Structure formats: structure tokens, C-alpha cells
Amino acid sequence: MPKVKLTKLAEENDISFEEAMEIAKDKLPEDYLTGKGKNTWVCEEGQEILVEAFYVPELVPKFLHGVVKHAAPNPHYVYAYIKEIGKKVPVVISKHFKDRLVGKRIDIEAIQDNKGVSYRHAPKKIR
């Protein structure tokens, strides 16, 4: 599935372009969107996330990218630097990924609740 214009995705899902643009900027990393205004294109991975977010935006977490800096003392966590927020945060991972991700770029889901924001690793095959 190649890139698709955001205007086309908005039409197919019966929502306004402005609303689609707001959801896309909120839920997707910057590198999933290209272009400006009505000439905005969405990559393949971003299309799947957006279609889900159009129906129930509260249930779809924000996706970010980060670089793993080092492992945490707890084997279920690593510390990753996320450029979009400008800081290093603890990220929940599967235990068997602990030593394999150091120095690598990973996809991260930011989950917001009443206690704050938590981050977890989002492998591509799980999404």
C-alpha cells in the first residue's frame, strides 16, 4: 500500500479534513506525514493507525520514535531518548529484548491516563 493523501483518507472515513489533520498530528510521528496543508501524504504504517483513530481516537495511543540509550535495572525497561518530547524516558519492553535494543531506533506508544504518561515498545508485527 503506497502513500495516500490525507484528504482521500478523510473522505473515505466521512470526516472533515481539518479533523483528520488534527488527529494525524496528534497520533502519528512527524516522519509518517509529508507535505503541507491539503497536500499532506500519509505513509502505509500511518494509514492503518489513522483509520483506527478516526473511529475511536481515545483508544489509539500516540506513536513516537526513540533511540534506546541503555538498559534499566529492571529487566522489563530500557531508557530511550525521544526527540519529539526532547527527553529520555523509561520504556516498557519484552524481557528478551533487554540487551538487543541498546543503540537501536524503536517505535514507542505513549499511553496517557489520569496518573500521567507511560511509554511502551510497539514492535511492528504487534500493531
Side-chain angles (χ1 to χ4, degrees):
M1 187 173 6
K3 287 185 176 182
V4 173
K5 273 193 169 185
L6 187 58
T7 52
K8 183 178 178 187
L9 276 176
E11 273 180 28
E12 290 173 355
N13 293 289
D14 297 324
I15 64 169
S16 69
F17 172 76
E18 290 78 21
E19 192 177 345
M21 184 63 128
E22 184 178 315
I23 292 171
K25 285 185 176 181
D26 184 45
K27 300 293 182 185
L28 298 177
E30 295 172 1
D31 57 336
Y32 281 21
L33 300 171
T34 55
K36 291 183 180 179
K38 293 212 175 201
N39 195 26
T40 302
W41 293 81
V42 182
C43 72
E44 297 174 23
E45 295 152 352
Q47 292 171 34
E48 297 168 8
I49 297 167
L50 273 182
V51 169
E52 291 176 17
F54 289 155
Y55 292 112
V56 188
E58 298 84 22
L59 296 180
V60 178
K62 180 176 174 106
F63 286 89
L64 305 165
H65 294 299
V67 177
V68 176
K69 294 298 181 183
H70 58 86
N74 183 338
H76 293 285
Y77 285 86
V78 293
Y79 284 98
Y81 178 77
I82 302 174
K83 186 178 178 183
E84 286 96 344
I85 61 173
K87 63 181 182 178
K88 185 169 62 170
V89 295
V91 178
V92 178
I93 59 166
S94 294
K95 198 173 180 180
H96 68 276
F97 280 136
K98 181 183 177 192
D99 297 324
R100 297 178 187 177
L101 294 177
V102 175
K104 303 245 169 77
R105 185 171 186 251
I106 60 171
D107 292 329
I108 299 170
E109 294 178 347
I111 300 146
Q112 182 131 14
D113 60 5
N114 57 357
K115 294 182 181 178
V117 180
S118 60
Y119 302 92
R120 71 176 176 206
H121 179 228
K124 294 190 187 289
K125 60 184 170 186
I126 290 178
R127 284 191 261 158

